[in-house]
Amino acid sequence: MTWLTWRRIGMLVAIAFVAGLIRFLPASVFEARINETLPAPWNAAIAGTLWDGEGVLRAGKSPESLRIPLTWTFDATALLRLNAAWDVASTSRAIAGTVNLGKTWGALELRNAALTLDTAALAPLYPPLALAAPSGILQVSTPTGAAFVVRTGDALRMTGDLQVEATRFSIRPLSANLSGDYTAKLAAQDSRIGYTLRQRKGALDLDGTGTLDMASRSLSYAGLVTTAPELPEAVLSQLKSLGKAEPNGRLRLDWKTQW
C-alpha cells in the first residue's frame, strides 16, 4: 500500500476514535468551560453526552430570566473537515428552530440555519438594541452549503452571508406606523455588515442598502421609498426631513445614526 493509502487509513481510525469518545463522554464535563466563554449574562446547564443531549441556555440566574431549552446531536460528517459540529434545536419563544453549530480554532461556524427570533423578547439582552425597542418576528437562514463564521476574541468579528425575513417588524425611531414585512440580505466582513433591504408589505415601498459597523457603533441606510397616503402627517414630515424628493414622487433617504 502507498503512503497516501496508509494516511487515509490513519485518518479514518482517528475519526472513529474521536467519534467513539464523543458518543460516551458526558457533556457536563464541558459545562464550566462553556460558561467561561459565554458572554454575560448568558449561562448554560447541560446534560447527556457530547453525542446527544439537552440543556438550557439562560440569560441570567434569576427565576424570571429568559430560558432557551436546547437539544443537540453530534454531526459526525464535520470530522471530515477536521471540525467538531452539532445539529442544535430550540423551541423557546425567543429563539426557535435548528442550526448546525461548529467549533473551529477561535471561531464558531453556523450552517443550515433556520431560526425564528422574537425581537421584543431578545432586545432587553443588548442595551443598544433595547433603545430601538424593536418588535416583530425574524426568520434567519444561511445559504445552502455556506458557513457564517463568528470569530471570538477581544472584538466581535463575523464573515459570511445571512438572509432575514421580518414579519410585522418595527423600531422606535421609525414609528410603529411603519411596521411591515421586510426581506434583508446581510454580508458580514469582520466588524462591518452590509445589507440590502426591501419592504414586501406595509406603509412603505422601500428599497435600499446600508451598513452596520460594530467598531464605530454606526448604522446607515440609503435608498428610495414611496409612502402610503394613510400615513400620519407627523410620520410623513419625519421621513421628508430625512430624505430628498425625487421627480417621480419618491423620497431618496440617506440616514445615519450612532449609539
Side-chain angles (χ1 to χ4, degrees):
M1 289 188 291
T2 66
W3 175 85
L4 185 59
T5 301
W6 281 111
R7 182 183 179 186
R8 288 174 177 171
I9 292 174
M11 183 175 293
L12 289 174
V13 170
I15 289 175
F17 173 78
V18 172
L21 184 65
I22 290 173
R23 182 174 290 276
F24 299 105
L25 194 62
S28 58
V29 172
F30 296 91
E31 184 174 302
R33 175 59 178 164
I34 290 172
N35 283 319
E36 287 175 2
T37 59
L38 284 173
W42 293 101
N43 63 91
I46 57 179
T49 68
L50 285 187
W51 189 269
D52 57 24
E54 60 185 17
V56 177
L57 189 62
R58 299 172 297 192
K61 296 184 179 181
S62 63
E64 63 272 13
S65 296
L66 176 65
R67 296 167 58 88
I68 301 175
L70 302 172
T71 59
W72 64 83
T73 302
F74 186 72
D75 177 14
T77 63
L79 293 176
L80 298 175
R81 303 192 303 269
L82 302 182
N83 290 349
W86 290 262
D87 292 317
V88 181
S90 172
T91 56
S92 75
R93 169 180 169 249
I95 302 176
T98 58
V99 62
N100 182 274
L101 186 62
K103 183 70 175 72
T104 63
W105 292 109
L108 295 174
E109 290 187 354
L110 283 71
R111 299 174 184 267
N112 305 325
L115 300 171
T116 300
L117 282 62
D118 186 321
T119 59
L122 293 172
L125 303 176
Y126 187 53
L129 186 59
L131 292 175
S135 65
I137 302 298
L138 304 182
Q139 306 282 344
V140 181
S141 60
T142 52
T144 302
F148 188 84
V149 181
V150 180
R151 304 189 186 282
T152 55
D154 295 336
L156 182 65
R157 294 179 296 152
M158 297 170 285
T159 304
D161 298 330
L162 291 175
Q163 177 153 319
V164 181
E165 302 284 344
T167 305
R168 300 184 302 278
F169 180 78
S170 69
I171 58 176
R172 180 182 293 152
L174 296 181
S175 160
N177 298 100
L178 302 185
S179 173
D181 298 350
Y182 300 83
T183 297
K185 294 183 178 180
L186 285 65
Q189 183 62 49
D190 292 330
S191 64
R192 184 180 179 90
I193 302 173
Y195 65 88
T196 61
L197 183 64
R198 171 71 178 165
Q199 183 166 7
R200 298 179 283 107
K201 180 181 179 182
L204 302 177
D205 181 357
L206 185 67
D207 191 0
T209 63
T211 59
L212 171 64
D213 195 315
M214 304 297 291
S216 64
R217 300 170 66 90
S218 63
L219 174 66
S220 69
Y221 171 80
L224 293 170
V225 58
T226 300
T227 58
E230 63 269 20
L231 279 176
E233 185 59 38
V235 176
L236 289 172
S237 298
Q238 183 181 16
L239 287 171
K240 290 177 181 178
S241 69
L242 296 173
K244 179 181 179 182
E246 295 279 305
N248 59 7
R250 303 188 78 183
L251 288 175
R252 181 172 294 278
L253 298 183
D254 190 0
W255 178 68
K256 297 179 182 179
T257 188
Q258 289 188 299
W259 68 85

